[in-house]
Amino acid sequence: MSRLVVYSNRLPLGSSPSGGLVVALGKAMDRRGGVWIGAKLDEDETTGQTLKSYEGASFDRYALHLPAEEYNNYYLGYANSVLWPLFHGRADLLDVADGQLAAYTSVNRKMAEASVDLLEDDDVIWIHDYHFIPLAAELRKLGVTNPIGFFLHTPFPSSSNLHALSHKEMLLDWLAAYDLVGLQTQRDVSAMLEVCRTIFGGQVLSDGRIRSQGQDIWAASFPIGIDVEKFRQTAESQEVTSPQIDPRQKLLIGVDRLDYSKGLPHKFRGFQRFLEDQADDSDRLTLLQIASPTREDVEAYQEIRHELEQITGEVNGEFAELGYIPIQYIHRAVPRDYLAGLYRQAAIGLVTPLIDGMNLVAKEYVAAQDPEDPGVLILSESAGAAEQLKCGALIINPYDPTSIAEAIRTAVSISLEERIERHQAMWTEILKRNVYWWTETFLDRLNRNAASRLSRDRSLADLETALRR
Ligand code: GDG
């Protein structure tokens, strides 16, 4: 088996809680081994742009250390104040400033230059997420001919959103340098086709490639998954050790990074509507929301935090009683094992992003349930996970508080038989397409695409030689 070399901005260094990318990829790397290369703010600014190795994992880890100004322009700037809002349909939150794009492209170039000597001839390279879209093009410039795949963890932007991006034509050159572009869902594949057609004048070839302005992009959807069995075991074993919830209260659980794409204020408003409409309080429902801090140096994230604190105060002020607090809002990360146990105790999983590439929390909630007495998943139609989990989840429109309130009402009244049926359907789906399925199907397709590129290149070279003779 070829060695796998993975690139992503974030590395699993154990210092702070992980987002979805690190959680999923960490599982795949633990099982398969290989090399994982990330980027990092050089806190003491002594190491410059060197690639520093980190021992202590079952795979090799390296981080490109970047000086503060460049890191901030690349990470907080272009990646998280331009690409992230744009890819999540929030062109209104774009915060464009001089130097961001230059830092983004130069970090990608430096990453290629700093890591190229680590690469071996039969390595398979897998680059992750919007921080490193140009990386394959930079590696190709340095003569790398290995299979290179890309996976976008966010949604692919619609053409109307992409219009807001200056220099958008670069995206085509960047994506065309890959042998495979992996997207989360069919929705994203359709968005990419639309962008290629309307912005780049492209068309789909008979073998599925998208050809635009003489360049080809291979794209397909590979819904990311979790280690379902392992998560179920953790949830089972945590049933007793994670913090116990008052059994007289039914628990709704929400677990999200405190990001504006996750629809947290909308979730709270939906719960507020449910409380307002509740005819009697025979069912005491508590919403436990774990909202781990993220990207706090970006202004839009400070605003969402204030908004959420304000709504929490409003709802609790109106509906709390002695011994009952409707919303428990925790702006802190909790240990992963505890999370698993909390999911299992919760009668309802409330996942309401306004838009989300996939949403692993929805899958974790399903995996953690007791199959003989499972809870109900309420899921936004705009989460990528809805494509797979609509078979068992109650699907809501996150913009409509009434839709959320009605789903909560339905969830508390669903019979045990129906809960088991819904859970079984979702369980079967997440088990079939778990995180290992995701890795293997992506890499298998990547290797096949790269082999056909190399054979096309060889035929072309042979033809040229023959013509020259
Ligand atoms: C991106 C895409 C896509 C959350 N709070 C805590 C904690 N978490 C863990 C969850 C879950 C992960 O973080 C979050 O994953 P999501 O998928 O829900 O969301 P993003 O971080 O936005 O991930 C997303 C994903 O990449 C993978 O492709 O699904 O659409 O946006 O695993 O459990 N973990 C711990 N404490 C917390 O407080 N330990």
Coordinates of all heavy atoms in Angstrom, one line a residue, residues 17-21 23-24 84 88 129 151-155 184 224 231 255-257 259 261-262 290-292 295 332-337 339 343 356-362 364 438, ligand 1:
P17 N -9.6 21.6 21.4 CA -10.6 20.6 20.9 C -10.6 20.6 19.4 O -10.3 21.7 18.7 CB -11.9 21.2 21.4 CG -11.7 22.6 21.7 CD -10.2 22.7 22.1
S18 N -10.9 19.5 18.8 CA -10.9 19.3 17.4 C -12.2 19.7 16.7 O -13.2 19.5 17.2 CB -10.6 17.9 17.1 OG -9.4 17.5 17.8
G19 N -12.1 20.2 15.5 CA -13.2 20.3 14.6 C -13.4 19.0 13.9 O -12.7 18.1 14.1
G20 N -14.4 19.1 13.0 CA -14.8 17.8 12.3 C -13.7 17.2 11.4 O -13.6 16.0 11.4
L21 N -12.9 18.1 10.8 CA -11.9 17.6 9.9 C -10.9 16.7 10.6 O -10.5 15.6 10.2 CB -11.2 18.8 9.2 CG -10.1 18.5 8.2 CD1 -10.0 19.7 7.2 CD2 -8.7 18.3 8.8
V23 N -11.1 15.4 13.6 CA -11.7 14.2 14.2 C -11.8 13.0 13.2 O -11.3 11.9 13.4 CB -13.2 14.5 14.7 CG1 -14.0 13.2 15.0 CG2 -13.1 15.4 15.9
A24 N -12.3 13.3 12.0 CA -12.5 12.3 10.9 C -11.1 11.8 10.4 O -10.8 10.6 10.4 CB -13.3 12.8 9.8
W84 N -14.4 31.2 3.9 CA -15.4 30.5 4.8 C -16.8 31.1 4.6 O -17.7 30.5 4.3 CB -14.9 30.4 6.2 CG -16.0 29.8 7.2 CD1 -17.0 30.5 7.8 CD2 -16.1 28.4 7.5 NE1 -17.8 29.6 8.5 CE2 -17.3 28.3 8.4 CE3 -15.4 27.3 7.2 CZ2 -17.7 27.1 8.9 CZ3 -15.9 26.1 7.7 CH2 -17.0 26.0 8.6
H88 N -20.2 29.5 2.7 CA -21.3 29.3 3.5 C -22.5 30.3 3.2 O -23.3 30.5 4.1 CB -21.0 29.2 5.0 CG -20.2 28.0 5.4 ND1 -18.8 27.9 5.3 CD2 -20.6 26.8 5.9 CE1 -18.4 26.7 5.7 NE2 -19.5 26.0 6.0
D129 N -9.4 20.8 2.5 CA -10.1 22.0 2.8 C -9.6 23.3 2.2 O -8.5 23.4 1.6 CB -10.2 22.2 4.4 CG -11.7 22.3 4.7 OD1 -12.6 22.3 3.8 OD2 -12.0 22.5 5.9
F151 N -10.1 17.3 -0.8 CA -11.4 17.2 -0.2 C -11.8 18.5 0.4 O -11.1 19.0 1.3 CB -11.5 16.0 0.8 CG -12.9 15.7 1.2 CD1 -13.7 14.9 0.4 CD2 -13.4 16.3 2.4 CE1 -15.0 14.6 0.7 CE2 -14.8 16.0 2.7 CZ -15.5 15.2 1.9
L152 N -13.0 18.9 0.0 CA -13.6 20.2 0.5 C -14.6 19.8 1.6 O -15.6 19.1 1.4 CB -14.3 21.0 -0.6 CG -14.8 22.3 -0.1 CD1 -13.7 23.3 0.3 CD2 -15.6 23.0 -1.2
H153 N -14.3 20.2 2.9 CA -15.2 19.8 4.0 C -16.4 20.7 4.1 O -17.4 20.4 4.7 CB -14.4 19.9 5.3 CG -13.4 18.8 5.4 ND1 -13.5 17.6 6.2 CD2 -12.2 18.6 4.7 CE1 -12.5 16.8 6.0 NE2 -11.7 17.4 5.1
T154 N -16.3 21.9 3.5 CA -17.4 22.9 3.5 C -18.3 22.6 2.3 O -18.0 21.9 1.4 CB -16.9 24.3 3.4 OG1 -16.4 24.5 2.1 CG2 -15.8 24.6 4.4
P155 N -19.5 23.3 2.2 CA -20.2 23.3 1.0 C -19.4 23.9 -0.2 O -18.6 24.8 0.1 CB -21.5 24.1 1.3 CG -21.5 24.2 2.8 CD -20.1 24.1 3.2
Q184 N -18.7 16.9 -0.3 CA -19.4 16.1 0.6 C -20.7 15.5 0.0 O -21.0 14.3 0.4 CB -19.9 17.0 1.8 CG -18.7 17.7 2.6 CD -18.3 16.8 3.7 OE1 -18.5 15.6 3.7 NE2 -17.7 17.4 4.7
I224 N -18.5 12.3 4.2 CA -17.6 11.9 5.3 C -18.4 11.2 6.4 O -19.5 11.5 6.6 CB -16.8 13.2 5.8 CG1 -15.6 12.8 6.6 CG2 -17.7 14.1 6.6 CD1 -14.7 13.9 6.9
F231 N -17.6 4.9 18.5 CA -18.3 5.9 19.2 C -19.5 5.4 20.0 O -19.7 5.8 21.1 CB -18.9 7.0 18.2 CG -19.1 8.3 18.8 CD1 -18.1 9.2 19.1 CD2 -20.4 8.7 19.1 CE1 -18.3 10.4 19.8 CE2 -20.6 9.9 19.8 CZ -19.6 10.8 20.1
V255 N -24.5 20.4 20.0 CA -23.0 20.5 20.1 C -22.5 21.1 18.8 O -22.7 20.6 17.7 CB -22.4 19.1 20.2 CG1 -20.9 19.2 20.3 CG2 -22.9 18.4 21.5
D256 N -22.0 22.3 18.9 CA -21.6 23.0 17.7 C -20.4 23.9 18.1 O -20.3 24.5 19.2 CB -22.6 24.0 17.2 CG -24.0 23.3 16.9 OD1 -24.8 23.2 17.9 OD2 -24.3 23.0 15.8
R257 N -19.4 24.1 17.1 CA -18.5 25.2 17.3 C -19.4 26.5 17.2 O -20.4 26.5 16.5 CB -17.5 25.2 16.1 CG -16.4 24.1 16.2 CD -15.4 24.3 15.2 NE -15.9 24.2 13.8 CZ -16.1 25.3 13.1 NH1 -15.8 26.5 13.5 NH2 -16.7 25.2 11.9
D259 N -20.1 29.0 15.6 CA -19.9 29.5 14.3 C -21.3 30.0 13.7 O -22.3 29.3 13.9 CB -19.4 28.4 13.4 CG -18.8 28.9 12.0 OD1 -19.6 29.4 11.2 OD2 -17.6 28.9 11.8
S261 N -22.5 29.8 10.9 CA -23.1 28.8 9.9 C -23.9 27.8 10.7 O -24.8 27.1 10.0 CB -22.0 28.1 9.1 OG -21.2 27.3 9.9
K262 N -23.7 27.6 12.0 CA -24.4 26.5 12.7 C -25.8 26.9 13.1 O -26.5 26.0 13.7 CB -23.6 26.1 13.9 CG -22.1 25.7 13.6 CD -22.1 24.4 12.8 CE -20.6 23.9 12.6 NZ -20.5 22.7 11.7
I290 N -23.7 22.8 24.0 CA -22.3 23.0 24.1 C -21.8 23.7 22.9 O -22.0 23.3 21.7 CB -21.6 21.7 24.3 CG1 -22.0 21.1 25.6 CG2 -20.1 21.8 24.2 CD1 -21.9 19.6 25.7
A291 N -21.3 24.9 23.1 CA -20.8 25.8 21.9 C -19.4 26.1 22.1 O -19.0 27.0 22.8 CB -21.7 27.0 21.9
S292 N -18.5 25.2 21.6 CA -17.1 25.4 21.8 C -16.5 26.6 21.1 O -16.9 26.9 19.9 CB -16.3 24.2 21.4 OG -16.7 23.7 20.2
R295 N -12.2 30.6 16.4 CA -11.9 31.8 15.6 C -12.3 33.1 16.3 O -12.9 33.9 15.6 CB -12.5 31.7 14.2 CG -12.1 30.4 13.5 CD -12.9 30.3 12.2 NE -12.8 28.9 11.8 CZ -13.6 28.3 10.9 NH1 -14.6 29.0 10.3 NH2 -13.4 27.0 10.6
R332 N -17.7 26.4 26.1 CA -16.5 25.8 26.5 C -16.5 24.4 25.8 O -17.5 23.9 25.6 CB -16.5 25.6 28.0 CG -15.1 25.5 28.7 CD -15.2 25.4 30.2 NE -16.3 26.0 30.8 CZ -17.3 25.3 31.5 NH1 -17.2 24.0 31.5 NH2 -18.3 25.9 32.0
A333 N -15.3 23.9 25.5 CA -15.2 22.5 25.0 C -15.3 21.5 26.1 O -14.8 21.8 27.2 CB -13.9 22.3 24.2
V334 N -16.0 20.4 25.9 CA -16.0 19.4 26.9 C -15.3 18.1 26.3 O -15.2 18.0 25.1 CB -17.5 19.0 27.3 CG1 -18.2 20.2 27.8 CG2 -18.2 18.3 26.2
P335 N -14.8 17.3 27.2 CA -14.0 16.1 26.7 C -14.9 15.2 25.8 O -16.1 15.1 26.0 CB -13.6 15.3 28.0 CG -13.7 16.3 29.1 CD -14.8 17.3 28.7
R336 N -14.3 14.6 24.8 CA -15.0 13.9 23.8 C -15.8 12.7 24.4 O -16.9 12.4 24.0 CB -14.0 13.3 22.7 CG -14.7 12.8 21.5 CD -13.8 12.7 20.3 NE -14.5 12.0 19.2 CZ -15.4 12.5 18.5 NH1 -15.8 13.7 18.7 NH2 -16.0 11.8 17.5
D337 N -15.2 12.0 25.4 CA -15.9 10.9 26.0 C -17.2 11.4 26.7 O -18.3 10.7 26.7 CB -15.0 10.2 27.1 CG -13.9 9.5 26.4 OD1 -13.8 9.5 25.2 OD2 -13.1 8.9 27.2
L339 N -19.0 13.9 25.9 CA -19.9 14.2 24.8 C -20.7 13.0 24.4 O -22.0 13.0 24.3 CB -19.2 14.7 23.5 CG -19.0 16.1 23.3 CD1 -18.4 16.3 21.8 CD2 -20.2 16.9 23.4
Y343 N -24.7 12.6 24.6 CA -25.6 12.3 23.5 C -26.6 11.2 23.8 O -27.7 11.2 23.5 CB -24.8 11.8 22.3 CG -24.0 12.8 21.5 CD1 -22.7 12.6 21.1 CD2 -24.6 14.0 21.0 CE1 -21.9 13.4 20.3 CE2 -23.8 14.9 20.2 CZ -22.5 14.6 19.9 OH -21.8 15.4 19.1
D356 N -24.2 23.6 6.1 CA -23.1 22.8 6.7 C -22.6 21.8 5.6 O -23.5 21.2 4.9 CB -23.6 22.0 7.9 CG -22.5 22.0 9.0 OD1 -21.3 22.0 8.6 OD2 -22.9 21.8 10.2
G357 N -21.3 21.6 5.5 CA -20.8 20.7 4.5 C -21.4 19.3 4.8 O -22.1 18.7 3.9
M358 N -21.2 18.8 6.0 CA -21.8 17.5 6.3 C -22.5 17.7 7.7 O -23.7 17.7 7.8 CB -20.7 16.4 6.4 CG -21.2 15.1 6.9 SD -22.6 14.4 6.0 CE -21.9 14.2 4.4
N359 N -21.8 17.8 8.8 CA -22.2 17.8 10.2 C -22.1 16.5 10.8 O -22.9 15.6 10.7 CB -23.6 18.4 10.4 CG -23.8 18.7 11.9 OD1 -23.8 17.9 12.7 ND2 -23.9 20.0 12.2
L360 N -20.9 16.3 11.5 CA -20.6 15.0 12.1 C -21.4 14.8 13.4 O -21.6 13.7 13.8 CB -19.1 14.9 12.4 CG -18.2 14.8 11.1 CD1 -16.8 14.7 11.5 CD2 -18.6 13.7 10.2
V361 N -21.8 15.9 14.0 CA -22.5 15.8 15.3 C -23.8 15.0 15.0 O -24.2 14.2 15.9 CB -22.9 17.2 15.8 CG1 -23.9 17.2 16.9 CG2 -21.6 17.9 16.3
A362 N -24.5 15.2 13.9 CA -25.7 14.4 13.6 C -25.4 12.9 13.6 O -26.2 12.1 14.2 CB -26.3 14.9 12.3
E364 N -22.8 11.5 15.1 CA -22.4 11.0 16.4 C -23.6 10.8 17.3 O -23.6 9.9 18.1 CB -21.5 12.1 17.0 CG -20.1 12.2 16.4 CD -19.3 13.4 16.7 OE1 -19.8 14.3 17.5 OE2 -18.2 13.6 16.2
W438 N -15.2 6.2 3.7 CA -14.9 7.5 3.1 C -13.4 7.5 2.6 O -13.2 7.9 1.4 CB -15.1 8.5 4.2 CG -14.7 9.9 3.8 CD1 -15.3 10.7 2.9 CD2 -13.6 10.7 4.4 NE1 -14.6 12.0 2.8 CE2 -13.6 12.0 3.7 CE3 -12.7 10.4 5.4 CZ2 -12.7 13.0 4.1 CZ3 -11.7 11.4 5.7 CH2 -11.8 12.7 5.0
Ligands
GDG1 C1 -16.2 20.8 9.2 C2 -17.4 21.1 8.4 C3 -18.0 18.7 8.3 C4 -17.6 20.0 19.0 N1 -17.6 20.5 20.2 C5 -16.8 19.8 20.9 C6 -16.3 18.8 20.1 N2 -16.8 18.9 18.9 C7 -16.6 18.0 17.8 C8 -17.9 17.2 17.5 C9 -17.6 16.9 16.0 C10 -16.7 18.0 15.5 O1 -16.2 18.7 16.7 C11 -17.6 19.0 14.8 O2 -17.8 18.5 13.5 P1 -18.9 19.1 12.5 O3 -18.9 18.2 11.3 O4 -20.2 19.1 13.2 O5 -18.5 20.6 12.2 P2 -17.1 21.4 11.8 O6 -16.2 21.5 12.9 O7 -17.7 22.7 11.3 O8 -16.5 20.6 10.6 C12 -18.5 20.1 8.6 C13 -16.7 18.4 9.0 O9 -15.7 19.5 8.7 C14 -16.0 17.1 8.5 O10 -15.9 17.1 7.1 O11 -18.9 17.7 8.7 O12 -19.6 20.4 7.7 O13 -17.9 22.4 8.7 O14 -16.8 15.7 15.9 O15 -18.1 16.2 18.3 N3 -15.5 17.8 20.6 C15 -15.1 17.9 21.9 N4 -15.5 18.9 22.7 C16 -16.4 19.8 22.3 O16 -16.8 20.7 23.1 N5 -14.2 17.0 22.4

